[in-house]
């Protein structure tokens, strides 16, 4: 989702989880685990990025591995000096979440790309003028043991005909 605003980090985490629910990747209980994770260890990873994900033991609420993307141009606070402009929710079947987290952390280390994602005004713009979204997709599709990752919903959304959505789920 693009150009979103949240009162607080809990609202942002819930929205990232709701997207994953809508995609059929998780059950609602996983959102509680995402919030608990942030309470115990911040899901803010730096560079204006937060990656909400569940605690150990929450795997039973994951139906399929997936990623949700939310752009928050004005940011949402995840604590002192921790303003997130990009919220990337993840759910990973089995141990896949660790690999997804590692690839996202590496990909999100480029501040130039992060700034473009933060300020982009359409999905088409983000994809055509910033390779980070494509990099995220390729990193995850190359990670998938089966190599079997697909966009969920209308594929044209990925190409920008319907701004505001960038989400993929792995299919086993």
């Amino acid at each position: 989702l693009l150009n979103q605003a949240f009162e607080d980090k809990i609202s942002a985490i819930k929205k990232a989880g709701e997207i994953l629910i809508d995609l059929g990747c998780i059950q609602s209980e996983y959102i509680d685990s995402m919030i608990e994770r942030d309470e115990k260890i911040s899901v803010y990873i730096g560079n204006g990025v937060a990656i909400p994900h569940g605690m150990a033991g929450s795997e039973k609420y994951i139906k399929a591995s997936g990623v949700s993307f939310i752009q928050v141009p004005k940011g949402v606070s995840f604590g002192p000096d921790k303003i997130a402009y990009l919220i990337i929710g993840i759910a990973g079947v089995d141990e896949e979440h660790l690999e997804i987290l590692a690839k996202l952390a590496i990909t999100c280390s480029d501040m130039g790309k992060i700034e473009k994602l933060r300020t982009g005004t359409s999905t088409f713009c983000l994809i055509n003028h910033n390779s980070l979204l494509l990099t995220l997709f390729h990193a995850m599709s190359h990670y998938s043991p089966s190599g079997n990752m697909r966009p969920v919903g209308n594929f044209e959304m990925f190409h920008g005909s319907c701004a505001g959505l960038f989400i993929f789920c792995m299919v086993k």
Side-chain angles (χ1 to χ4, degrees), residues 65 92-101 143 145 170 172:
S65 294
V93 174
D94 300 322
E95 297 298 317
E96 291 178 353
H97 74 283
L98 296 173
E99 186 70 23
I100 295 168
L101 274 171
Y143 160 69
M170 275 185 239
K172 290 215 174 206

Side-chain angles (χ1 to χ4, degrees), residues 40-169:
K40 293 188 185 270
I41 302 171
S42 180
V43 297
Y44 181 83
I45 65 164
N47 288 354
V49 179
I51 304 179
H53 57 287
M55 298 283 295
S58 64
E59 299 84 6
K60 60 188 171 203
Y61 305 122
I62 300 172
K63 301 180 201 175
S65 294
V67 177
S68 62
F69 174 87
I70 305 172
Q71 177 202 65
V72 187
K74 294 185 180 184
V76 60
S77 177
F78 274 74
D81 300 320
K82 295 180 180 179
I83 304 299
Y85 302 98
L86 303 176
I87 312 296
I88 305 171
I90 69 165
V93 174
D94 300 322
E95 297 298 317
E96 291 178 353
H97 74 283
L98 296 173
E99 186 70 23
I100 295 168
L101 274 171
K103 292 200 181 286
L104 286 175
I106 291 166
T107 303
C108 293
S109 65
D110 185 324
M111 282 305 294
K113 290 179 181 179
I114 296 297
E115 185 60 22
K116 287 180 184 177
L117 284 174
R118 176 185 168 210
T119 60
T121 58
S122 73
T123 305
F124 184 78
C125 173
L126 292 177
I127 290 168
N128 285 295
H129 301 294
N130 187 316
S131 63
L132 182 54
L133 292 181
L134 291 174
T135 302
L136 291 172
F137 172 70
H138 289 297
M140 291 200 45
S141 63
H142 288 125
Y143 160 69
S144 173
S146 63
N148 198 13
M149 187 170 182
R150 65 174 169 82
V152 173
N154 184 348
F155 187 70
E156 291 181 350
M157 289 182 182
F158 177 70
H159 289 290
S161 64
C162 184
L165 185 61
F166 167 76
I167 298 165
F168 296 92
C169 272

